[in-house]
Amino acid sequence: MTRVALFHTVAALTGRFEELADEYLADAEWYHVVDESVLDDMLDAGELTPNVTERICTQLALAQRGGADIVLDTCSSTSPAVDVSRKLVDVPIVKIDDPMTERAVEIGDRIVVVATAASTLGPSKDLVERKGEEAGRDVTVETVLVDEAFEARRAGDLEMHDELVSEAVEDFADDFDVVVLAQASMSHLESSLFERTSVPVLSSPDLAMEHIAELVSASP
C-alpha cells in the first residue's frame, strides 16, 4: 500500500489534515511529520535561512527513509526549500500550494495572494508567477499581508483572526479575478469569503489532497 507523509510546521493543522486524509486517502497509509521549530526560526530571521533549508531537507529525506512513497509539504513558507529537497529525495514531494496556484492561473489573469505570515508572501507570489509562466499566461500577482490576524491566531483568538482576514479580503477582492489564500490556516474561510465577495476564492488543503489521491491511484 502506498505510504504518504504529511510534513507540517504548525502542529495545530494536523487535525484538519487527518480529516482530509480520511476523506481522500482511504487507499493509502499516511502519517504526520511535525517540526514547528523551522517556521519559528524563519519568522525570527525574517527569511528562509540556509540552516532552516537544510533542516527541512533533512525532514523530507527522513520521510522517504521512513517508507513514504509521496510527501506533502503543508507549509507555504517552506516552498523554496522544497525545490532544494526535490534534488535530494527520490519520491515525489508536493507543495501544498501547487494545485491551488495552477488552478488560480487557469481562472484569471489578475491574482491576489493573501497571507497573515510575512514569510509566506514571497514564496507564494513566486509560485503563482511560475505557474503562470508554465501555463503560458501573462498574470499579474499582487500580495496582501494581514499580519494582525497572524498575531490574533497565535494568541488563540480565532474569531478575531477570521474577522480581520474577511474584512481585508472584502476591501480589495473586486479588483481581482481570483483570491488565493496562501496559508492552510485560512482555508476554513474559503466558502464564506466567496459568498461575501462573489469572486473565486481558493485555498490549498482540499486541492492538494485531491492531487495526492490522484498520485496514490496512479502508484503501482
Side-chain angles (χ1 to χ4, degrees):
M1 181 176 286
T2 304
R3 301 191 76 195
V4 179
L6 308 174
F7 174 65
H8 311 283
T9 62
V10 177
L13 289 177
T14 56
R16 169 68 171 140
F17 279 91
E18 285 173 7
E19 296 174 355
L20 292 171
D22 288 341
E23 179 179 354
Y24 291 105
L25 302 182
D27 297 326
E29 295 179 357
W30 56 270
Y31 61 94
H32 299 297
V33 177
V34 181
D35 186 348
E36 292 189 302
S37 71
V38 293
L39 182 58
D40 290 340
D41 289 351
M42 281 181 61
L43 293 173
D44 288 342
E47 62 180 348
L48 183 63
T49 64
N51 174 271
V52 171
T53 297
E54 180 181 2
R55 285 152 54 197
I56 293 168
C57 290
T58 298
Q59 290 285 15
L60 299 179
L62 287 173
Q64 179 186 10
R65 294 181 190 177
D69 302 297
I70 303 167
V71 180
L72 173 64
D73 185 326
T74 69
C75 179
S76 302
S77 298
T78 61
S79 178
V82 174
D83 294 329
V84 178
S85 299
R86 285 171 171 166
K87 301 175 183 179
L88 306 173
V89 177
D90 297 328
V91 299
I93 305 175
V94 177
K95 298 178 183 181
I96 190 170
D97 291 338
D98 277 337
M100 176 181 65
T101 49
E102 289 167 5
R103 180 74 58 84
V105 301
E106 292 174 358
I107 292 175
D109 300 324
R110 297 173 303 156
I111 301 168
V112 59
V113 175
V114 184
T116 63
S119 59
T120 300
L121 280 183
S124 295
K125 181 176 186 288
D126 291 345
L127 187 59
V128 176
E129 291 175 338
R130 187 188 313 171
K131 296 298 184 181
E133 291 176 2
E134 292 173 355
R137 300 289 300 272
D138 184 15
V139 298
T140 300
V141 186
E142 302 291 340
T143 62
V144 173
L145 177 65
V146 192
D147 50 359
E148 300 93 340
F150 182 77
E151 295 303 325
R153 189 178 183 99
R154 294 191 82 176
D157 192 343
L158 182 59
E159 182 177 350
M160 178 60 70
H161 166 277
D162 293 354
E163 181 179 341
L164 290 168
V165 172
S166 298
E167 289 179 352
V169 172
E170 282 187 281
D171 285 344
F172 59 73
D174 291 341
D175 296 329
F176 298 91
D177 299 322
V178 57
V179 176
V180 170
L181 302 178
Q183 293 157 240
S185 57
M186 294 185 285
S187 63
H188 61 287
L189 296 173
E190 179 179 357
S191 59
S192 65
L193 287 174
F194 176 73
E195 292 175 358
R196 294 169 69 167
T197 63
S198 297
V199 174
V201 177
L202 301 180
S203 65
S204 55
D206 280 272
L207 292 172
M209 293 298 277
E210 286 178 9
H211 180 61
I212 295 297
E214 292 171 359
L215 293 179
V216 170
S217 296
S219 298

